[in-house]
């Protein structure tokens, strides 16, 4: 089994999403000691935002500006890591009702026609079927239900984009209310870690 572990929280050791993705991956290692883990930290090793030059770059990068060629090659490596993975673990904190721009930049490198999706006469078809995605979702308030649910452009976006890639097995480990006081924060983290330890999100493909 190949596991791709992605972190995008900007708070370093104070990041709850990083804490939860680490717990998920640790549980995977317990359940599947043979799992091969590939780790990518989108903050420590930032992803450049998509540009027209990157999109228009030829398949053969010979003669292309070296900086652009390196950027394109990096994006291709990210895509291949994603395509090779059986399970993808993503740390996704909510920033300003959406996801970190660094995580969006990574997703933009995955959304490649002919690789993760294609358009047909019947409409778009996802080409990355058969994967499992586990998302550690952290939020300062409560957005899974109630009046603030309409402000959630984090989990809704992630479910949509991975679904567009053909991935229907998307699980969320959620810690909400992290900014509503210490008791709320500790309760949310404890409940999320309990869910992970119980293996509720780890129905991994064989």
């Amino acid at each position: 089994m190949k596991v791709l572990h992605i972190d995008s929280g900007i708070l370093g050791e104070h990041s709850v999403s990083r804490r939860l993705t680490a717990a998920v991956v640790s549980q995977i290692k317990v359940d599947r000691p043979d799992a091969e883990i590939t780790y990518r930290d989108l903050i420590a090793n930032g992803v450049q935002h998509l540009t027209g030059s990157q999109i228009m770059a030829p398949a053969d990068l010979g003669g292309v500006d070296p900086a652009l060629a390196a950027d394109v090659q990096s994006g291709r490596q990210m895509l291949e890591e994603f395509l090779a993975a059986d399970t993808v673990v993503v740390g996704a904190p909510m920033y300003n009702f959406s996801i970190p721009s660094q995580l969006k930049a990574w997703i933009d490198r995955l959304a490649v026609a002919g690789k993760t999706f294609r358009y047909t006469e019947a409409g778009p078809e996802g080409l990355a079927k058969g994967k499992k995605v586990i998302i550690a979702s952290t939020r300062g308030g409560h957005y899974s239900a109630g009046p603030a649910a309409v402000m959630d452009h984090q989990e809704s976006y992630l479910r949509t984009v991975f679904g567009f890639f053909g991935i229907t097995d998307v699980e969320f480990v959620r810690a909400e209310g992290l900014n509503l006081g210490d008791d709320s924060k500790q309760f949310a983290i404890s409940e999320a870690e309990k869910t992970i330890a119980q293996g509720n999100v780890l129905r991994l493909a064989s």
Side-chain angles (χ1 to χ4, degrees):
M1 165 165 287
K2 293 185 177 182
V3 178
L4 177 59
H5 177 185
I6 301 293
D7 272 329
S8 66
I10 64 175
L11 299 180
E13 64 181 13
H14 302 291
S15 169
V16 176
S17 67
R18 288 174 180 268
R19 176 172 171 175
L20 296 183
T21 61
V24 170
V25 172
S26 292
Q27 187 63 46
I28 290 175
K29 289 180 179 179
V30 170
D31 294 343
R32 297 293 296 269
D34 61 335
E36 177 183 327
I37 312 295
T38 298
Y39 179 64
R40 184 171 287 273
D41 186 332
L42 301 181
I43 306 304
N45 298 288
V47 182
Q48 294 187 37
H49 291 286
L50 201 61
T51 67
S53 297
Q54 191 270 343
I55 292 176
M56 298 297 291
D60 180 359
L61 297 175
V64 173
D65 175 78
L68 174 60
D71 179 42
V72 171
Q73 190 57 44
S74 175
R76 291 175 181 176
Q77 181 180 352
M78 293 176 212
L79 175 60
E80 291 307 314
E81 288 173 351
F82 177 76
L83 293 175
D86 302 298
T87 298
V88 183
V89 180
V90 179
M94 175 186 276
Y95 295 157
N96 300 316
F97 311 113
S98 185
I99 62 174
S101 62
Q102 295 89 344
L103 181 56
K104 177 60 165 59
W106 175 73
I107 291 172
D108 285 341
R109 299 306 181 100
L110 308 182
V112 177
K115 293 291 187 177
T116 51
F117 71 94
R118 66 177 178 178
Y119 289 109
T120 71
E121 292 182 355
E125 176 189 2
L127 301 178
K129 301 179 179 72
K131 300 181 186 299
K132 180 178 186 66
V133 175
I134 303 171
I135 298 171
S137 168
T138 55
R139 294 112 90 86
H142 292 280
Y143 297 89
S144 58
V150 296
M151 302 179 190
D152 174 17
H153 305 291
Q154 171 213 24
E155 291 187 8
S156 59
Y157 169 73
L158 291 170
R159 192 179 297 279
T160 296
V161 74
F162 286 121
F164 187 77
F165 294 162
I167 303 170
T168 58
D169 192 358
V170 179
E171 297 282 349
F172 287 89
V173 181
R174 185 181 297 121
E176 291 192 292
L178 298 177
N179 293 340
L180 302 181
D182 289 341
D183 289 345
S184 177
K185 179 177 181 178
Q186 293 308 315
F187 177 78
I189 294 173
S190 176
E191 288 299 297
E193 291 180 332
K194 185 186 302 182
T195 296
I196 294 166
Q198 291 172 345
N200 292 342
V201 296
L202 303 178
R203 299 187 300 275
L204 302 178
S206 60

